[in-house]
PDB file of all heavy atoms in Angstrom:
ATOM      1  N   PHE A1100     125.685 -23.431  84.426  1.00 91.00           N
ATOM      2  CA  PHE A1100     125.038 -24.374  83.621  1.00 91.00           C
ATOM      3  C   PHE A1100     126.038 -25.505  83.566  1.00 91.00           C
ATOM      4  O   PHE A1100     127.106 -25.481  82.876  1.00 91.00           O
ATOM      5  CB  PHE A1100     124.705 -23.861  82.196  1.00 91.00           C
ATOM      6  CG  PHE A1100     124.064 -24.833  81.312  1.00 91.00           C
ATOM      7  CD1 PHE A1100     122.796 -25.338  81.566  1.00 91.00           C
ATOM      8  CD2 PHE A1100     124.752 -25.388  80.200  1.00 91.00           C
ATOM      9  CE1 PHE A1100     122.178 -26.249  80.774  1.00 91.00           C
ATOM     10  CE2 PHE A1100     124.073 -26.234  79.345  1.00 91.00           C
ATOM     11  CZ  PHE A1100     122.843 -26.784  79.642  1.00 91.00           C
ATOM     12  N   SER A1113     128.602 -31.459  70.571  1.00 98.00           N
ATOM     13  CA  SER A1113     129.732 -30.523  70.483  1.00 98.00           C
ATOM     14  C   SER A1113     129.992 -30.277  69.034  1.00 98.00           C
ATOM     15  O   SER A1113     130.205 -29.114  68.545  1.00 98.00           O
ATOM     16  CB  SER A1113     131.018 -31.033  71.133  1.00 98.00           C
ATOM     17  OG  SER A1113     130.719 -31.271  72.483  1.00 98.00           O
ATOM     18  N   PHE A1116     127.102 -28.179  67.654  1.00 98.00           N
ATOM     19  CA  PHE A1116     127.231 -26.799  68.114  1.00 98.00           C
ATOM     20  C   PHE A1116     128.321 -26.118  67.275  1.00 98.00           C
ATOM     21  O   PHE A1116     128.082 -24.861  66.932  1.00 98.00           O
ATOM     22  CB  PHE A1116     127.533 -26.821  69.594  1.00 98.00           C
ATOM     23  CG  PHE A1116     127.788 -25.460  70.134  1.00 98.00           C
ATOM     24  CD1 PHE A1116     126.735 -24.564  70.328  1.00 98.00           C
ATOM     25  CD2 PHE A1116     129.009 -24.950  70.428  1.00 98.00           C
ATOM     26  CE1 PHE A1116     126.942 -23.298  70.884  1.00 98.00           C
ATOM     27  CE2 PHE A1116     129.263 -23.746  70.865  1.00 98.00           C
ATOM     28  CZ  PHE A1116     128.182 -22.781  71.120  1.00 98.00           C
ATOM     29  N   ARG A1132     136.311 -12.243  50.312  1.00 81.00           N
ATOM     30  CA  ARG A1132     137.269 -13.229  49.588  1.00 81.00           C
ATOM     31  C   ARG A1132     138.671 -13.005  50.061  1.00 81.00           C
ATOM     32  O   ARG A1132     138.949 -11.781  50.662  1.00 81.00           O
ATOM     33  CB  ARG A1132     137.095 -12.881  48.135  1.00 81.00           C
ATOM     34  CG  ARG A1132     135.745 -13.295  47.457  1.00 81.00           C
ATOM     35  CD  ARG A1132     135.706 -14.844  47.348  1.00 81.00           C
ATOM     36  NE  ARG A1132     134.344 -15.160  46.834  1.00 81.00           N
ATOM     37  CZ  ARG A1132     133.257 -15.439  47.555  1.00 81.00           C
ATOM     38  NH1 ARG A1132     133.234 -15.199  48.868  1.00 81.00           N
ATOM     39  NH2 ARG A1132     132.198 -15.802  47.011  1.00 81.00           N
ATOM     40  N   TYR A1180     146.398 -45.972  79.755  1.00 95.00           N
ATOM     41  CA  TYR A1180     145.450 -45.223  79.034  1.00 95.00           C
ATOM     42  C   TYR A1180     145.941 -44.586  77.816  1.00 95.00           C
ATOM     43  O   TYR A1180     144.978 -44.263  76.891  1.00 95.00           O
ATOM     44  CB  TYR A1180     144.792 -44.121  80.114  1.00 95.00           C
ATOM     45  CG  TYR A1180     143.627 -43.535  79.408  1.00 95.00           C
ATOM     46  CD1 TYR A1180     142.282 -44.277  79.486  1.00 95.00           C
ATOM     47  CD2 TYR A1180     143.557 -42.355  78.766  1.00 95.00           C
ATOM     48  CE1 TYR A1180     141.215 -43.550  78.900  1.00 95.00           C
ATOM     49  CE2 TYR A1180     142.502 -41.796  78.165  1.00 95.00           C
ATOM     50  CZ  TYR A1180     141.280 -42.364  78.269  1.00 95.00           C
ATOM     51  OH  TYR A1180     140.164 -41.812  77.711  1.00 95.00           O
ATOM     52  N   GLY A1186     144.160 -45.079  70.401  1.00 98.00           N
ATOM     53  CA  GLY A1186     143.047 -45.794  69.621  1.00 98.00           C
ATOM     54  C   GLY A1186     142.035 -44.725  69.302  1.00 98.00           C
ATOM     55  O   GLY A1186     141.515 -44.760  68.064  1.00 98.00           O
ATOM     56  N   ARG A1215     136.342 -23.061  43.077  1.00 94.00           N
ATOM     57  CA  ARG A1215     137.598 -22.419  43.588  1.00 94.00           C
ATOM     58  C   ARG A1215     138.452 -21.977  42.390  1.00 94.00           C
ATOM     59  O   ARG A1215     139.018 -20.906  42.486  1.00 94.00           O
ATOM     60  CB  ARG A1215     138.406 -23.450  44.475  1.00 94.00           C
ATOM     61  CG  ARG A1215     139.830 -23.029  44.826  1.00 94.00           C
ATOM     62  CD  ARG A1215     140.630 -24.171  45.225  1.00 94.00           C
ATOM     63  NE  ARG A1215     140.782 -25.067  44.053  1.00 94.00           N
ATOM     64  CZ  ARG A1215     141.430 -26.265  44.093  1.00 94.00           C
ATOM     65  NH1 ARG A1215     141.756 -26.726  45.250  1.00 94.00           N
ATOM     66  NH2 ARG A1215     141.612 -27.031  43.055  1.00 94.00           N
ATOM     67  N   LEU A1224     127.439 -22.143  35.058  1.00 88.00           N
ATOM     68  CA  LEU A1224     126.822 -23.460  34.915  1.00 88.00           C
ATOM     69  C   LEU A1224     125.641 -23.704  35.896  1.00 88.00           C
ATOM     70  O   LEU A1224     125.065 -24.751  36.002  1.00 88.00           O
ATOM     71  CB  LEU A1224     127.977 -24.507  35.232  1.00 88.00           C
ATOM     72  CG  LEU A1224     128.983 -24.702  34.069  1.00 88.00           C
ATOM     73  CD1 LEU A1224     130.123 -25.573  34.546  1.00 88.00           C
ATOM     74  CD2 LEU A1224     128.338 -25.276  32.857  1.00 88.00           C
ATOM     75  N   GLU A1316     164.682 -24.932  67.636  1.00 86.00           N
ATOM     76  CA  GLU A1316     163.527 -25.771  67.394  1.00 86.00           C
ATOM     77  C   GLU A1316     162.534 -25.007  66.271  1.00 86.00           C
ATOM     78  O   GLU A1316     162.283 -25.756  65.284  1.00 86.00           O
ATOM     79  CB  GLU A1316     162.660 -26.034  68.690  1.00 86.00           C
ATOM     80  CG  GLU A1316     163.284 -27.110  69.454  1.00 86.00           C
ATOM     81  CD  GLU A1316     162.509 -27.390  70.639  1.00 86.00           C
ATOM     82  OE1 GLU A1316     161.462 -26.873  70.928  1.00 86.00           O
ATOM     83  OE2 GLU A1316     163.065 -28.223  71.520  1.00 86.00           O
ATOM     84  N   VAL A1327     160.486 -28.816  52.148  1.00 92.00           N
ATOM     85  CA  VAL A1327     159.373 -29.530  51.483  1.00 92.00           C
ATOM     86  C   VAL A1327     158.859 -28.645  50.345  1.00 92.00           C
ATOM     87  O   VAL A1327     158.605 -29.110  49.266  1.00 92.00           O
ATOM     88  CB  VAL A1327     158.269 -29.779  52.501  1.00 92.00           C
ATOM     89  CG1 VAL A1327     156.874 -30.226  51.806  1.00 92.00           C
ATOM     90  CG2 VAL A1327     158.684 -30.818  53.517  1.00 92.00           C
ATOM     91  N   PHE A1330     161.452 -28.736  47.335  1.00 94.00           N
ATOM     92  CA  PHE A1330     161.501 -29.904  46.473  1.00 94.00           C
ATOM     93  C   PHE A1330     160.191 -30.464  46.106  1.00 94.00           C
ATOM     94  O   PHE A1330     159.982 -31.265  45.265  1.00 94.00           O
ATOM     95  CB  PHE A1330     162.326 -30.899  47.163  1.00 94.00           C
ATOM     96  CG  PHE A1330     163.760 -30.518  47.389  1.00 94.00           C
ATOM     97  CD1 PHE A1330     164.294 -30.046  48.579  1.00 94.00           C
ATOM     98  CD2 PHE A1330     164.588 -30.466  46.209  1.00 94.00           C
ATOM     99  CE1 PHE A1330     165.662 -29.585  48.698  1.00 94.00           C
ATOM    100  CE2 PHE A1330     165.988 -30.027  46.385  1.00 94.00           C
ATOM    101  CZ  PHE A1330     166.510 -29.589  47.566  1.00 94.00           C
ATOM    102  N   SER A1340     147.734 -35.616  41.926  1.00 83.00           N
ATOM    103  CA  SER A1340     147.909 -36.997  42.071  1.00 83.00           C
ATOM    104  C   SER A1340     146.852 -37.661  43.016  1.00 83.00           C
ATOM    105  O   SER A1340     146.469 -38.814  42.753  1.00 83.00           O
ATOM    106  CB  SER A1340     149.374 -37.267  42.651  1.00 83.00           C
ATOM    107  OG  SER A1340     149.388 -36.862  43.902  1.00 83.00           O
TER     108      SER A1340
END
Side-chain angles (χ1 to χ4, degrees):
Chain A
F1100 181 66
S1113 302
F1116 175 75
R1132 292 286 179 273
Y1180 189 82
R1215 173 200 64 189
L1224 289 170
E1316 278 180 11
V1327 168
F1330 294 104
S1340 67

